[in-house]
Amino acid sequence: MDLVRLKIREFAQEKGWTLKEVSTRSGVNYSTVKTYATSQGMSMANVMALLRLARVFEVAIEELIEVVEE
């Protein structure tokens, strides 16, 4: 099974934002942002949260997601 990793930390660093700022700007709960940002691979994620994060970073959702091998 393939897993995905979200490039939240990379995009936040490019913008000069903390994870707390990402949470505030996107409207995604901080604990969710932190979990998504620190996970090395997930099998599931909330689609609405992904859309909000992609919008706040001004990227396509495909740019936010990286497929990693299990």
Side-chain angles (χ1 to χ4, degrees):
M1 173 195 303
D2 288 334
L3 301 176
V4 296
R5 184 183 77 81
L6 302 180
K7 298 188 273 185
I8 294 171
R9 283 191 187 274
E10 293 92 328
F11 286 120
Q13 286 176 349
E14 287 176 16
K15 299 271 188 188
W17 298 344
T18 64
L19 294 180
K20 185 70 173 166
E21 287 176 294
V22 171
S23 171
T24 300
R25 291 171 183 265
S26 66
V28 177
N29 184 289
Y30 174 71
S31 64
T32 301
V33 170
K34 186 175 179 185
T35 298
Y36 287 178
T38 59
S39 177
Q40 295 300 311
M42 302 178 299
S43 60
M44 297 178 73
N46 180 292
V47 173
M48 291 310 296
L50 297 181
L51 288 172
R52 289 178 179 160
L53 290 165
R55 281 189 198 130
V56 80
F57 290 128
E58 299 176 334
V59 298
I61 198 167
E62 294 86 359
E63 295 176 69
L64 184 64
I65 299 171
E66 175 182 24
V67 176
V68 293
E69 298 299 318
E70 185 174 317

Coordinates of all heavy atoms in Angstrom, one line a residue:
M1 N 0.8 -1.2 0.0 CA 0.0 0.0 0.0 C 0.9 1.2 0.0 O 1.8 1.3 0.8 CB -0.9 0.0 1.2 CG -1.7 1.3 1.4 SD -2.4 1.6 3.0 CE -3.4 0.2 3.2
D2 N 0.6 2.2 -0.9 CA 1.3 3.4 -0.9 C 0.8 4.4 0.2 O -0.4 4.3 0.6 CB 1.1 4.2 -2.2 CG 1.9 3.5 -3.3 OD1 2.9 2.8 -3.1 OD2 1.5 3.6 -4.5
L3 N 1.7 5.2 0.7 CA 1.4 6.1 1.8 C 1.7 7.5 1.2 O 2.4 7.7 0.2 CB 2.2 5.9 3.0 CG 2.0 4.5 3.7 CD1 3.0 4.4 4.9 CD2 0.6 4.3 4.1
V4 N 1.1 8.6 1.8 CA 1.3 9.9 1.3 C 2.0 10.7 2.5 O 1.7 10.5 3.6 CB 0.1 10.7 0.8 CG1 -0.5 10.0 -0.4 CG2 -1.0 10.8 1.9
R5 N 2.8 11.6 2.1 CA 3.4 12.6 3.0 C 3.0 14.0 2.5 O 3.1 14.2 1.3 CB 4.9 12.5 3.1 CG 5.6 13.4 4.1 CD 7.1 13.2 4.0 NE 7.6 14.0 2.9 CZ 7.9 15.3 2.9 NH1 7.6 16.0 3.9 NH2 8.4 15.9 1.8
L6 N 2.6 14.8 3.4 CA 2.2 16.2 3.0 C 3.4 17.1 3.2 O 4.1 17.1 4.3 CB 1.0 16.7 3.8 CG -0.2 15.8 3.7 CD1 -1.3 16.3 4.6 CD2 -0.7 15.7 2.3
K7 N 3.6 18.0 2.2 CA 4.8 18.9 2.3 C 4.5 20.2 3.0 O 4.8 21.3 2.5 CB 5.3 19.1 0.8 CG 5.8 17.8 0.2 CD 6.4 18.0 -1.1 CE 5.4 18.1 -2.2 NZ 6.0 18.2 -3.6
I8 N 3.8 20.1 4.1 CA 3.4 21.3 4.9 C 4.6 22.1 5.4 O 4.7 23.3 5.3 CB 2.5 20.9 6.0 CG1 1.2 20.3 5.4 CG2 2.2 22.1 6.9 CD1 0.3 19.7 6.4
R9 N 5.6 21.4 6.0 CA 6.7 22.1 6.5 C 7.5 22.8 5.5 O 7.9 24.0 5.7 CB 7.7 21.1 7.2 CG 7.2 20.6 8.6 CD 8.3 19.9 9.3 NE 7.9 19.3 10.5 CZ 7.9 19.9 11.6 NH1 8.3 21.1 11.7 NH2 7.5 19.3 12.7
E10 N 7.7 22.2 4.3 CA 8.4 22.9 3.2 C 7.7 24.1 2.8 O 8.4 25.2 2.6 CB 8.6 21.9 2.0 CG 9.5 20.7 2.3 CD 8.7 19.5 2.8 OE1 7.7 19.6 3.5 OE2 9.2 18.4 2.5
F11 N 6.4 24.1 2.6 CA 5.7 25.2 2.1 C 5.6 26.3 3.2 O 5.7 27.5 2.9 CB 4.3 24.8 1.6 CG 4.2 24.2 0.3 CD1 3.7 22.9 0.2 CD2 4.7 24.8 -0.8 CE1 3.7 22.2 -1.1 CE2 4.7 24.1 -2.1 CZ 4.2 22.9 -2.2
A12 N 5.5 25.9 4.4 CA 5.4 26.9 5.6 C 6.8 27.6 5.6 O 6.8 28.8 5.8 CB 5.1 26.1 6.9
Q13 N 7.9 26.9 5.5 CA 9.2 27.5 5.6 C 9.4 28.5 4.4 O 9.9 29.6 4.6 CB 10.3 26.4 5.5 CG 10.4 25.7 6.8 CD 11.5 24.6 6.7 OE1 11.9 24.2 5.7 NE2 11.8 24.0 7.9
E14 N 8.9 28.1 3.2 CA 9.0 29.1 2.1 C 8.3 30.4 2.4 O 8.7 31.4 2.0 CB 8.4 28.4 0.8 CG 9.3 27.4 0.2 CD 8.6 26.7 -1.0 OE1 7.6 27.2 -1.5 OE2 9.1 25.6 -1.4
K15 N 7.1 30.3 3.1 CA 6.3 31.5 3.4 C 6.8 32.2 4.7 O 6.4 33.3 5.0 CB 4.9 31.1 3.6 CG 4.2 30.5 2.4 CD 3.6 31.5 1.5 CE 2.8 30.9 0.4 NZ 2.3 31.9 -0.5
G16 N 7.7 31.5 5.4 CA 8.1 32.0 6.7 C 7.1 31.9 7.8 O 7.1 32.7 8.7
W17 N 6.3 30.9 7.7 CA 5.2 30.7 8.7 C 5.5 29.5 9.6 O 6.1 28.5 9.2 CB 3.9 30.3 8.0 CG 3.3 31.4 7.1 CD1 3.7 32.7 7.0 CD2 2.3 31.2 6.0 NE1 3.0 33.3 6.0 CE2 2.1 32.4 5.4 CE3 1.6 30.1 5.6 CZ2 1.2 32.6 4.4 CZ3 0.7 30.2 4.6 CH2 0.5 31.5 4.0
T18 N 5.0 29.6 10.8 CA 5.0 28.5 11.8 C 3.8 27.6 11.5 O 2.9 28.0 10.7 CB 4.9 29.0 13.2 OG1 3.6 29.6 13.4 CG2 6.0 30.0 13.6
L19 N 3.8 26.4 12.1 CA 2.6 25.6 11.9 C 1.4 26.2 12.5 O 0.3 26.0 12.0 CB 2.9 24.2 12.5 CG 4.0 23.4 11.8 CD1 4.2 22.0 12.5 CD2 3.7 23.2 10.3
K20 N 1.6 26.9 13.6 CA 0.4 27.6 14.2 C -0.2 28.6 13.2 O -1.4 28.8 13.1 CB 0.9 28.3 15.5 CG -0.2 28.9 16.3 CD -1.1 27.9 16.9 CE -2.1 28.5 17.8 NZ -3.2 27.6 18.1
E21 N 0.7 29.4 12.5 CA 0.2 30.3 11.5 C -0.5 29.6 10.4 O -1.5 30.1 9.9 CB 1.4 31.2 11.0 CG 1.9 32.2 12.0 CD 3.1 32.9 11.4 OE1 4.2 32.2 11.2 OE2 3.0 34.1 11.2
V22 N 0.0 28.5 10.0 CA -0.6 27.7 8.9 C -2.0 27.3 9.3 O -3.0 27.5 8.6 CB 0.2 26.5 8.5 CG1 -0.6 25.5 7.6 CG2 1.6 26.8 7.9
S23 N -2.1 26.9 10.6 CA -3.4 26.5 11.1 C -4.4 27.7 11.1 O -5.5 27.6 10.7 CB -3.2 26.0 12.6 OG -4.5 25.8 13.2
T24 N -3.9 28.8 11.6 CA -4.8 30.0 11.7 C -5.2 30.5 10.3 O -6.4 30.8 10.1 CB -4.0 31.2 12.4 OG1 -3.7 30.7 13.7 CG2 -4.9 32.4 12.5
R25 N -4.3 30.6 9.4 CA -4.5 31.0 8.0 C -5.5 30.1 7.2 O -6.3 30.5 6.4 CB -3.2 31.3 7.3 CG -2.4 32.4 7.8 CD -1.0 32.4 7.1 NE -0.2 33.5 7.6 CZ -0.1 34.7 7.0 NH1 -0.7 35.0 6.0 NH2 0.7 35.6 7.6
S26 N -5.3 28.8 7.5 CA -6.1 27.8 6.7 C -7.4 27.5 7.3 O -8.3 26.9 6.6 CB -5.2 26.5 6.5 OG -5.0 25.9 7.7
G27 N -7.5 27.7 8.6 CA -8.7 27.2 9.3 C -8.7 25.8 9.7 O -9.7 25.2 10.1
V28 N -7.6 25.1 9.5 CA -7.4 23.7 9.8 C -6.9 23.6 11.3 O -5.9 24.3 11.6 CB -6.5 23.0 8.9 CG1 -6.3 21.5 9.3 CG2 -7.0 23.0 7.4
N29 N -7.5 22.8 12.1 CA -7.1 22.6 13.5 C -5.6 22.4 13.6 O -5.0 21.6 12.9 CB -7.9 21.4 14.1 CG -7.6 21.2 15.5 OD1 -6.6 20.8 15.9 ND2 -8.7 21.5 16.3
Y30 N -5.0 23.1 14.6 CA -3.6 23.0 14.8 C -3.1 21.6 15.0 O -2.0 21.2 14.4 CB -3.1 23.9 16.0 CG -1.6 23.7 16.3 CD1 -0.7 24.2 15.4 CD2 -1.2 23.0 17.4 CE1 0.7 24.1 15.7 CE2 0.1 22.9 17.7 CZ 1.1 23.4 16.8 OH 2.4 23.2 17.1
S31 N -3.8 20.8 15.8 CA -3.3 19.4 16.0 C -3.3 18.6 14.7 O -2.4 17.8 14.5 CB -4.1 18.7 17.1 OG -5.5 18.6 16.6
T32 N -4.3 18.9 13.8 CA -4.3 18.2 12.5 C -3.1 18.7 11.6 O -2.4 17.8 11.0 CB -5.6 18.5 11.8 OG1 -6.7 18.1 12.6 CG2 -5.7 17.9 10.4
V33 N -2.9 20.0 11.6 CA -1.7 20.5 10.8 C -0.4 19.9 11.3 O 0.4 19.4 10.5 CB -1.7 22.0 10.9 CG1 -0.3 22.6 10.3 CG2 -2.8 22.7 10.2
K34 N -0.3 19.9 12.6 CA 1.0 19.3 13.2 C 1.1 17.8 12.9 O 2.2 17.4 12.5 CB 1.0 19.5 14.7 CG 2.3 19.1 15.4 CD 2.3 19.4 16.9 CE 3.6 19.0 17.5 NZ 3.6 19.2 18.9
T35 N 0.0 17.1 13.0 CA 0.1 15.6 12.7 C 0.4 15.4 11.2 O 1.3 14.6 10.9 CB -1.3 15.0 13.0 OG1 -1.5 15.1 14.4 CG2 -1.3 13.5 12.6
Y36 N -0.2 16.2 10.3 CA 0.1 16.1 8.9 C 1.5 16.5 8.6 O 2.2 15.9 7.7 CB -0.9 16.9 8.1 CG -2.3 16.4 8.0 CD1 -3.3 17.1 7.3 CD2 -2.7 15.2 8.6 CE1 -4.6 16.7 7.2 CE2 -4.0 14.8 8.5 CZ -5.0 15.5 7.8 OH -6.2 15.0 7.7
A37 N 2.0 17.5 9.3 CA 3.3 18.0 9.0 C 4.4 17.1 9.5 O 5.5 17.1 8.9 CB 3.5 19.4 9.6
T38 N 4.2 16.4 10.5 CA 5.2 15.5 11.1 C 5.2 14.1 10.7 O 6.1 13.3 10.9 CB 5.2 15.6 12.7 OG1 3.9 15.2 13.1 CG2 5.5 17.0 13.1
S39 N 4.1 13.7 10.1 CA 3.9 12.3 9.7 C 4.8 11.9 8.5 O 4.9 12.6 7.5 CB 2.5 12.0 9.3 OG 2.3 10.7 8.8
Q40 N 5.5 10.8 8.6 CA 6.4 10.3 7.6 C 5.6 9.6 6.5 O 6.1 9.4 5.4 CB 7.4 9.3 8.1 CG 8.4 10.0 9.1 CD 9.1 11.2 8.4 OE1 9.7 11.0 7.4 NE2 9.1 12.3 9.1
G41 N 4.3 9.2 6.7 CA 3.5 8.6 5.8 C 2.1 8.3 6.3 O 2.1 7.7 7.5
M42 N 1.1 8.6 5.6 CA -0.3 8.4 6.1 C -1.0 7.7 5.0 O -0.7 7.9 3.8 CB -1.0 9.7 6.3 CG -0.3 10.6 7.3 SD -1.2 12.2 7.5 CE -1.1 12.9 5.9
S43 N -2.0 6.9 5.4 CA -2.8 6.2 4.4 C -4.1 7.0 4.2 O -4.8 6.8 3.2 CB -3.2 4.8 4.9 OG -3.8 4.8 6.1
M44 N -4.5 7.9 5.1 CA -5.7 8.7 5.0 C -5.5 10.1 5.5 O -4.7 10.4 6.3 CB -6.8 8.0 5.8 CG -7.2 6.6 5.4 SD -8.5 5.9 6.5 CE -9.9 6.9 6.0
A45 N -6.2 11.0 4.8 CA -6.2 12.4 5.2 C -7.6 13.0 4.9 O -8.3 12.6 4.0 CB -5.1 13.2 4.5
N46 N -8.0 14.1 5.6 CA -9.2 14.8 5.4 C -9.1 15.6 4.1 O -8.3 16.5 4.0 CB -9.5 15.6 6.6 CG -10.8 16.4 6.4 OD1 -11.0 17.3 5.6 ND2 -11.8 16.0 7.2
V47 N -10.0 15.4 3.1 CA -9.9 16.0 1.9 C -10.1 17.5 2.0 O -9.5 18.4 1.4 CB -10.9 15.4 0.8 CG1 -10.9 16.3 -0.4 CG2 -10.5 14.0 0.5
M48 N -11.1 17.9 2.9 CA -11.4 19.4 3.1 C -10.1 20.1 3.7 O -9.8 21.2 3.3 CB -12.6 19.6 3.9 CG -13.9 19.2 3.2 SD -14.1 19.9 1.6 CE -14.2 21.6 1.9
A49 N -9.5 19.4 4.6 CA -8.3 20.0 5.2 C -7.2 20.1 4.1 O -6.5 21.2 4.1 CB -7.8 19.1 6.3
L50 N -7.0 19.1 3.3 CA -6.0 19.2 2.2 C -6.3 20.4 1.3 O -5.4 21.1 0.8 CB -6.0 17.9 1.4 CG -5.5 16.7 2.2 CD1 -5.5 15.5 1.2 CD2 -4.2 16.9 2.8
L51 N -7.6 20.6 0.9 CA -8.0 21.7 0.1 C -7.7 23.0 0.7 O -7.2 23.9 0.1 CB -9.5 21.6 -0.3 CG -9.9 20.5 -1.3 CD1 -11.4 20.4 -1.4 CD2 -9.3 20.8 -2.6
R52 N -8.0 23.2 2.0 CA -7.7 24.4 2.7 C -6.2 24.7 2.8 O -5.8 25.8 2.6 CB -8.3 24.3 4.1 CG -9.8 24.4 4.1 CD -10.3 24.3 5.6 NE -11.7 24.4 5.6 CZ -12.5 24.0 6.6 NH1 -11.9 23.5 7.6 NH2 -13.8 24.1 6.5
L53 N -5.4 23.6 3.0 CA -4.0 23.8 3.1 C -3.4 24.2 1.7 O -2.6 25.1 1.6 CB -3.3 22.5 3.6 CG -3.6 22.3 5.1 CD1 -3.2 20.8 5.4 CD2 -2.8 23.3 6.0
A54 N -3.9 23.5 0.7 CA -3.4 23.9 -0.7 C -3.8 25.3 -1.0 O -2.9 26.0 -1.6 CB -4.0 22.9 -1.7
R55 N -5.0 25.7 -0.7 CA -5.4 27.1 -0.9 C -4.5 28.1 -0.2 O -4.1 29.1 -0.8 CB -6.8 27.3 -0.6 CG -7.8 26.8 -1.6 CD -9.2 27.2 -1.2 NE -10.2 26.4 -1.9 CZ -11.2 25.8 -1.4 NH1 -11.4 25.9 -0.1 NH2 -12.0 25.0 -2.1
V56 N -4.2 27.9 1.1 CA -3.4 28.8 1.9 C -2.0 28.9 1.3 O -1.4 30.0 1.4 CB -3.5 28.5 3.4 CG1 -2.5 27.4 3.8 CG2 -3.2 29.8 4.2
F57 N -1.5 27.8 0.8 CA -0.1 27.9 0.2 C -0.1 28.3 -1.2 O 0.9 28.4 -1.8 CB 0.5 26.5 0.4 CG 0.9 26.1 1.8 CD1 0.5 24.9 2.3 CD2 1.6 26.9 2.6 CE1 0.8 24.5 3.6 CE2 1.9 26.6 3.9 CZ 1.5 25.4 4.4
E58 N -1.3 28.4 -1.8 CA -1.5 28.8 -3.2 C -0.8 27.8 -4.2 O -0.1 28.2 -5.1 CB -1.0 30.2 -3.4 CG -1.7 31.3 -2.6 CD -1.1 32.7 -2.8 OE1 0.1 32.8 -3.1 OE2 -1.9 33.6 -2.6
V59 N -1.1 26.5 -3.9 CA -0.6 25.5 -4.7 C -1.7 24.5 -5.1 O -2.7 24.5 -4.4 CB 0.6 24.7 -4.0 CG1 1.8 25.6 -3.7 CG2 0.1 24.0 -2.8
A60 N -1.5 23.7 -6.1 CA -2.5 22.7 -6.4 C -2.3 21.6 -5.4 O -1.2 21.4 -4.8 CB -2.2 22.1 -7.8
I61 N -3.4 20.9 -5.1 CA -3.4 19.8 -4.1 C -2.3 18.8 -4.4 O -1.7 18.2 -3.6 CB -4.8 19.2 -3.9 CG1 -4.9 18.5 -2.6 CG2 -5.2 18.4 -5.1 CD1 -6.3 18.1 -2.2
E62 N -2.1 18.5 -5.7 CA -1.1 17.6 -6.1 C 0.3 18.0 -5.7 O 1.2 17.1 -5.5 CB -1.1 17.4 -7.7 CG -2.4 16.7 -8.2 CD -3.5 17.7 -8.5 OE1 -3.3 19.0 -8.2 OE2 -4.6 17.3 -8.9
E63 N 0.6 19.3 -5.6 CA 1.9 19.7 -5.2 C 2.1 19.5 -3.7 O 3.2 19.5 -3.2 CB 2.1 21.2 -5.5 CG 2.1 21.5 -7.0 CD 2.2 23.0 -7.3 OE1 3.2 23.6 -7.0 OE2 1.1 23.5 -7.8
L64 N 1.0 19.5 -2.9 CA 1.1 19.3 -1.5 C 1.3 17.9 -1.1 O 1.9 17.6 0.0 CB -0.3 19.8 -0.9 CG -0.4 19.8 0.6 CD1 0.6 20.8 1.2 CD2 -1.8 20.2 1.0
I65 N 1.0 16.9 -1.9 CA 1.0 15.5 -1.6 C 2.2 14.9 -2.3 O 2.5 15.0 -3.5 CB -0.3 14.8 -2.1 CG1 -1.5 15.4 -1.4 CG2 -0.2 13.3 -1.9 CD1 -2.8 14.9 -1.9
E66 N 2.9 14.1 -1.5 CA 4.1 13.3 -2.0 C 3.8 11.8 -1.7 O 3.5 11.5 -0.5 CB 5.4 13.7 -1.4 CG 6.5 12.9 -1.8 CD 7.8 13.4 -1.1 OE1 7.7 14.0 0.0 OE2 8.9 13.0 -1.6
V67 N 3.8 11.0 -2.7 CA 3.6 9.5 -2.5 C 4.9 8.9 -2.0 O 5.9 9.1 -2.6 CB 3.1 8.8 -3.7 CG1 2.9 7.3 -3.5 CG2 1.7 9.4 -4.2
V68 N 4.9 8.2 -0.9 CA 6.1 7.5 -0.4 C 5.8 6.0 -0.4 O 4.6 5.6 -0.1 CB 6.5 8.0 1.0 CG1 6.9 9.5 1.0 CG2 5.3 7.9 2.0
E69 N 6.8 5.2 -0.6 CA 6.6 3.8 -0.6 C 6.6 3.3 0.8 O 7.2 3.8 1.7 CB 7.7 3.1 -1.3 CG 7.8 3.5 -2.8 CD 6.6 3.1 -3.6 OE1 6.0 2.0 -3.4 OE2 6.1 3.9 -4.4
E70 N 5.8 2.3 1.1 CA 5.7 1.7 2.4 C 6.9 0.8 2.6 O 7.4 0.1 1.8 CB 4.4 0.9 2.5 CG 4.2 0.3 3.9 CD 2.8 -0.3 4.0 OE1 1.8 0.2 3.5 OE2 2.8 -1.4 4.6

